[in-house]
Amino acid sequence: MKKQLLLLSILFFVLSCGVKQTRNLLTSGNYDEAIDNAINNLRSNKDKKGNQDFVYLLEEAFYKASERDLNSLNLLEQDKNPANLERIYNTYIQLNNRQEKIKPLLPLRLIKEGKNAKFTFDNYNKQIVDSKNALSKYLYTNSLALLKSSNKMDFRKAYEDLEYLNQINPNYQNTLQLQEEALSKGRYYVNVTLHNQTNMVIPMDLQNDLLDFNTYGMNDKWTVYHNTLQKKIQYNYQVIVDFTAINISPEQIKEKVFVKEKQIKDGVKDLLDKNGKQVKDSLGKVIKVDNLKTITISIREFNQFKACQVAANVDYIDFKNKQLLKSFPLSAESIFKNDYATYKGDKRATEESYYPYFSRKLVPFPSNEQMIYNSGEDLKAKLKAILTKNKF
C-alpha cells in the first residue's frame, strides 16, 4: 500500500511539473514548444483524467500559434517584398505541420464539458505550392544575378541559395549546373610549391609528402590546394615553402667510464662478539646474521648523437600579381640518439633499469638525407598549423 501511494505521489509530481512547464511556455509565447510538450504527454494516454490539463493547454496553444502565424502572413503578403518569400513559405509549412502533429490524437475529450476539444484545421496545400514556386523563382533569379558578380562572397551566397532551392524544389530548371558554377567561382584555389635555397638536397620522398594535401585534410568546400598547376583553373594564391637553411651536426660518439659498488647478501654467518666468540640465544643456539659482501662493476658508456635542423619560410603570394602577402617562419628538427654500454665485473652492482644498455650495440649513423627526411612529420604538422590558423 505504501509503495502504491509513493508511486502515485511521484506520478502526480511529474504530471504537475509537466503541466507547469507547458503553461509557462504558453504564457511566454513559446506556443509550438507548449504544443510539443502537451502532445508528448497525451500520446501515451490521451483519455486519462489526469491529462485533462494538457488537452486545454494544447487547444489554447494551437489557437494562439495559428492566429499569430496568420496575422504575420497577412502583413508579409501585403508588404509584397520578395525578400519575405522564404518566411512566407516556411510559415505555411509550419501551419500545416502543426496540424499534422495534432491530427493523430483526435478526438480529444473535455470531460467536464462533455464535448471534444475544438481545433480548426485548414487546407494549406495551394498556399504551400504557390509560395514555394514564388520563392523558387526568386532564389533562381537572384542567384543568376549574383553569378554575374566578381565577388567571391556573392558566388558563395548564390551557392547557398541554390542549395536551399534544390532542397525545397529538387531539379528546378538548371539549379544543379548553376550550383556547380557557384561552387567553382566561390572557391579559393591555392597552388603550393617548394623552393630550396640551401646547399643540401631535399629528398624527393619528403617533397612528395609535404605536397600531398590529401593527408592534411585541408581541402574544404571553399579552399582547394593543388601541388601542380591545372589547366582551366584560375588560381588565387600561391603558398611557397621556401627552405632557407638545413644544419646537420657532425656524428658524435661520447664515451665515459665509471665504477659502481654495492653490498649484497652472500649467505649467512655466525654472529661474533668483540672478542671473536660466537653469540648464542637463550636456548644456546648460535645466532646467524647475513653475510654481506661488496661487489663492483666498471661500466664503459657510449652515447651516439646526430641532429638535423630545418628552417624555412611559408610565403603567401597573390597569384595574379605575385605580391608577397604574408610570411611565416617554419622550423623542424630530427635527432638521432643511441646509448649503449659494456662492463667488467658483477652486473648486479648497478640498477636493473640500466641492464638494457648492455644489450645494445653501436649502430650506423643515419645519412644526412635520412636525417632531413626524418624531420618530415614535424614539418608537416607545423605547416598544417600555419595553413589552418591563416586561412584564405
Side-chain angles (χ1 to χ4, degrees):
M1 184 66 179
K2 287 182 179 180
K3 287 184 178 179
Q4 290 178 337
L5 288 172
L6 179 61
L7 289 172
L8 286 171
S9 299
I10 293 172
L11 183 60
F12 177 76
F13 176 76
V14 171
L15 286 171
S16 298
C17 290
V19 169
K20 184 179 179 181
Q21 182 188 41
T22 306
R23 186 175 289 113
N24 287 340
L25 289 168
L26 179 59
T27 55
S28 61
N30 295 314
Y31 302 137
D32 281 300
E33 287 185 59
I35 289 169
D36 289 339
N37 262 23
I39 288 173
N40 287 336
N41 282 279
L42 289 168
R43 191 175 283 123
S44 58
N45 192 346
K46 66 176 187 174
D47 298 321
K48 187 177 177 181
K49 189 175 181 180
N51 282 337
Q52 278 290 285
D53 284 339
F54 289 114
V55 179
Y56 287 104
L57 290 168
L58 179 60
E59 187 180 41
E60 184 180 353
F62 175 76
Y63 170 78
K64 289 184 175 179
S66 299
E67 182 183 42
R68 183 168 66 185
D69 284 351
L70 291 170
N71 286 336
S72 176
L73 279 170
N74 185 46
L75 181 63
L76 292 170
E77 288 172 342
Q78 285 189 38
D79 188 34
K80 297 189 182 303
N81 184 344
N84 293 329
L85 288 170
E86 182 178 351
R87 189 174 167 192
I88 291 170
Y89 169 69
N90 286 328
T91 304
Y92 278 122
I93 291 290
Q94 183 170 270
L95 282 163
N96 184 69
N97 289 346
R98 190 182 295 130
Q99 294 179 167
E100 295 303 314
K101 284 181 185 178
I102 296 172
K103 283 179 181 179
L105 292 174
L106 298 182
L108 287 170
R109 193 72 178 163
L110 298 173
I111 298 173
K112 287 184 181 180
E113 286 81 351
K115 62 178 183 178
N116 292 333
K118 185 179 180 182
F119 296 93
T120 303
F121 292 158
D122 291 305
N123 188 328
Y124 295 107
N125 289 345
K126 185 177 185 306
Q127 291 92 327
I128 289 173
V129 171
D130 289 346
S131 60
K132 181 180 75 171
N133 289 337
L135 175 58
S136 299
K137 184 178 179 181
Y138 169 72
L139 291 170
Y140 183 82
T141 304
N142 192 55
S143 296
L144 287 176
L146 289 171
L147 287 172
K148 294 177 181 177
S149 166
S150 58
N151 188 316
K152 284 197 178 290
M153 295 304 107
D154 287 338
F155 301 142
R156 295 182 185 187
K157 177 64 170 61
Y159 178 88
E160 291 170 1
D161 285 350
L162 290 164
E163 188 173 44
Y164 177 59
L165 171 55
N166 196 50
Q167 289 173 5
I168 64 170
N169 205 344
N171 300 319
Y172 182 86
Q173 296 195 36
N174 60 333
T175 297
L176 293 176
Q177 180 184 338
L178 292 175
Q179 197 174 348
E180 284 299 314
E181 181 183 344
L183 181 63
S184 178
K185 288 183 174 180
R187 276 175 170 164
Y188 284 126
Y189 288 93
V190 185
N191 171 242
V192 186
T193 187
L194 303 181
H195 287 179
N196 183 9
Q197 298 189 45
T198 73
N199 58 358
M200 304 287 290
V201 175
I202 299 174
M204 187 57 65
D205 286 347
L206 175 57
Q207 295 186 47
N208 293 336
D209 279 354
L210 287 173
L211 294 175
D212 183 5
F213 273 78
N214 290 325
T215 63
Y216 285 77
M218 292 293 300
N219 289 331
D220 57 34
K221 183 189 292 183
W222 299 119
T223 309
V224 177
Y225 296 87
H226 290 159
N227 53 30
T228 54
L229 295 175
Q230 297 184 16
K231 294 179 180 180
K232 298 182 180 179
I233 295 289
Q234 291 186 354
Y235 289 90
N236 307 100
Y237 299 102
Q238 186 173 46
V239 172
I240 299 175
V241 182
D242 190 8
F243 288 89
T244 55
I246 299 175
N247 300 314
I248 300 177
S249 72
E251 297 175 356
Q252 303 173 40
I253 301 180
K254 293 183 179 180
E255 181 181 343
K256 61 180 178 181
V257 178
F258 55 94
V259 176
K260 302 186 82 171
E261 291 184 348
K262 186 178 181 181
Q263 279 194 327
I264 64 170
K265 179 181 175 181
D266 185 26
V268 294
K269 64 181 181 178
D270 296 343
L271 178 62
L272 304 176
D273 61 17
K274 62 182 179 179
N275 297 318
K277 294 183 178 181
Q278 293 176 330
V279 179
K280 298 180 180 179
D281 60 19
S282 58
L283 298 176
K285 288 186 177 182
V286 177
I287 297 174
K288 300 291 185 180
V289 294
D290 291 341
N291 181 38
L292 299 177
K293 75 172 184 178
T294 300
I295 57 174
T296 305
I297 185 172
S298 175
I299 297 175
R300 187 179 297 272
E301 185 179 283
F302 302 89
N303 308 110
Q304 288 182 265
F305 179 84
K306 187 176 182 179
C308 170
Q309 291 182 325
V310 179
N313 290 320
V314 181
D315 297 332
Y316 281 42
I317 309 291
D318 185 304
F319 195 88
K320 188 174 182 180
N321 58 29
K322 305 304 178 184
Q323 181 181 351
L324 177 65
L325 303 175
K326 296 176 183 178
S327 187
F328 304 94
L330 175 66
S331 63
E333 67 176 2
S334 63
I335 294 175
F336 166 79
K337 287 179 68 177
N338 179 50
D339 300 324
Y340 66 98
T342 60
Y343 72 94
K344 291 181 179 179
D346 196 322
K347 187 169 72 171
R348 294 175 296 171
T350 191
E351 301 83 3
E352 286 189 18
S353 59
Y354 195 85
Y355 288 2
Y357 281 71
F358 301 136
S359 60
R360 299 176 194 154
K361 294 183 179 181
L362 175 72
V363 296
F365 282 95
S367 66
N368 290 350
E369 185 179 74
Q370 184 64 45
M371 292 294 295
I372 297 170
Y373 180 77
N374 290 345
S375 68
E377 287 303 314
D378 193 18
L379 277 171
K380 285 185 70 172
K382 290 179 177 178
L383 176 58
K384 181 178 180 179
I386 290 173
L387 295 173
T388 302
K389 189 176 180 180
N390 302 278
K391 282 187 172 290
F392 296 94

